[in-house]
Amino acid sequence: QYAETVMDEYLHNKITEGMSDFEKLEAIAAFPAQYDYSASASGYIGMIVTGGGDCWASTSAIIHLCEKVQLQAHVRYAVNDGNAGSGHRNAAVKIGDSVYVVEAGYNETKPRNYNIWEEKTGFDYSIEDGKVEIKQYDGFSSDIVIPAEIKGYPVTSIGDSAFYYGERYSDVPVHSVQLPDTIAHIGKNAFARTSIKSIRLPASVQTIHTFAFSESDLTEIQVADGNASYSSTDGVLFDADRKTLIAFPAGKQGVYYIPDGVTAISTYAFGYTKKL
């Protein structure tokens, strides 16, 4: 009750009629900056009661305040951010068609710094040598369409754990992902533990990490015609010559008979299958 009263009074003093949603978000981002950084509290109640909290506490405060003013928000796993440590959290907030990341977990004494930046596409990404790698999805849609280019550069890679972290920590399930015809590389755990049922790999895909689809609900992997590296039969991923079985969808059910002509089974090809 005390924590709720503190938050409600803060909003009453800081949020005024006629403020834009972004102005409301700026006021909300300043709330946890009033408290010292402390590893002793990882929730907003503990932070308010004890006077300090960690990045988890700051994030929970931001999300709870957003809920009070009807802004859609979720936890963001921020380990891919520069200089962020393992387990670091911040918040993703939806305003209009954009996603804003709110960072208020800096290791400092009050008043702490805080920061807000916009991800217009909902994707965290990096650009290197004129190519884009999707590092993380921070958006709010369960049916995701990855653009063919960002800022004029082709999107060629899906980075390690790009969708795994989003579903695991944000509670936004990934039901489908549409890959553009520019993707060449799919990284480790890229779609691991997601709710995705089917995926189509474009002809441009050249490399796929062993654990790219592990522990997911995937029942079917399709490969576009013309792919020089991969093929699929009955939803199972093979090399282009169909001699090496590369990945069996983790959620595919029933009894499976390996086709004649297959001479090799890749490492973990049947790893983490749930219903085989």
Side-chain angles (χ1 to χ4, degrees), residues 22-34:
F22 183 76
E23 288 172 331
K24 293 176 183 178
L25 181 59
E26 286 183 307
I28 287 171
F31 177 84
Q34 304 174 107

Side-chain angles (χ1 to χ4, degrees), residues 32-33 35-40 52-56 58 83-85 88-89 103-114:
Y35 297 89
D36 290 332
Y37 182 91
S38 170
S40 62
D54 60 11
C55 60
W56 290 32
S58 297
N83 300 318
H88 183 59
R89 303 285 191 276
E103 173 61 82
Y106 294 112
N107 187 10
E108 300 168 348
T109 56
K110 63 183 181 183
R112 290 185 288 157
N113 290 322
Y114 60 91

Side-chain angles (χ1 to χ4, degrees), residues 47 50 53 56 63-64 85 97 105 114 117 121 148 156 162 186 188 196 201 205-206 224 233 252 276:
M47 182 176 70
T50 65
W56 290 32
I63 291 173
H64 194 53
D97 293 329
Y114 60 91
W117 66 90
T121 61
T156 61
I186 298 176
K188 181 179 180 181
I196 188 172
L201 306 178
V205 173
Q206 299 172 10
T233 301
K252 191 174 177 66
L276 175 63

Side-chain angles (χ1 to χ4, degrees), residues 60-75:
S60 71
I62 290 166
I63 291 173
H64 194 53
L65 287 166
C66 283
E67 291 171 351
K68 286 177 177 288
V69 299
Q70 280 102 40
L71 288 178
Q72 196 173 355
H74 65 65
V75 175

